[in-house]
Amino acid sequence: MPKKTLADTLAARETSYVNCAHPMCCKSTKLDIQALIDRLGRDHGSMHDDLVGLFICSNCKAAGRDRRQVFFTTKASSGRAIATGSQLSNEGAESGRRHLGGRWGRLPCRAPA
């Protein structure tokens, strides 16, 4: 099965959100797909497993909460939800990461309009 890329997501005019899984936070932020393409490349995968290691919740980090893995939701241009990322164990996810900035402390995001 072909892998869905960021370019595919942009071409389909889908809207993706990164969501904090911590029950005290539940922050949701709209992803800037073009900014992700600029940073990661058009052929980078756009599915949960491809993106999950790139994001942390800056609100939870600032509040000193334990770190939970984020999950993703995607909506088609019609506004219909078409995919939801899973919530998996977060152990070891921090290794190998570098600081990329942005509201999530990793990649640039844009708050919902």
Side-chain angles (χ1 to χ4, degrees), residues 15-19 28 71-75 83-85:
T15 304
S16 295
Y17 295 86
V18 60
N19 307 282
S28 178
F71 63 99
F72 300 87
T73 53
T74 303
K75 293 182 182 177
T84 302

Side-chain angles (χ1 to χ4, degrees), residues 40 44 50-56 67 90-100 105-107:
L40 301 171
H44 192 278
D50 302 318
L51 298 173
V52 71
L54 302 174
F55 295 90
I56 62 169
R67 186 160 178 259
N90 195 37
E91 290 183 29
E94 187 63 33
S95 62
R97 295 218 187 108
R98 59 189 169 96
H99 179 70
L100 298 173
R106 294 291 177 229
L107 294 174

Side-chain angles (χ1 to χ4, degrees), residues 39-79:
R39 183 170 297 271
L40 301 171
R42 298 182 60 75
D43 295 330
H44 192 278
S46 65
M47 301 305 289
H48 174 83
D49 290 341
D50 302 318
L51 298 173
V52 71
L54 302 174
F55 295 90
I56 62 169
C57 180
S58 59
N59 285 356
C60 287
K61 183 177 179 179
R65 295 185 193 111
D66 62 316
R67 186 160 178 259
R68 304 283 175 103
Q69 190 167 25
V70 299
F71 63 99
F72 300 87
T73 53
T74 303
K75 293 182 182 177
S77 58
S78 65

Side-chain angles (χ1 to χ4, degrees), residues 3-37:
K3 179 176 162 178
K4 185 174 179 180
T5 66
L6 291 171
D8 297 334
T9 301
L10 186 64
R13 298 181 56 152
E14 296 171 353
T15 304
S16 295
Y17 295 86
V18 60
N19 307 282
C20 179
H22 197 288
M24 297 295 290
C25 182
C26 301
K27 175 181 171 181
S28 178
T29 302
K30 182 179 177 180
L31 292 175
D32 184 347
I33 300 300
Q34 185 59 56
L36 288 172
I37 289 172

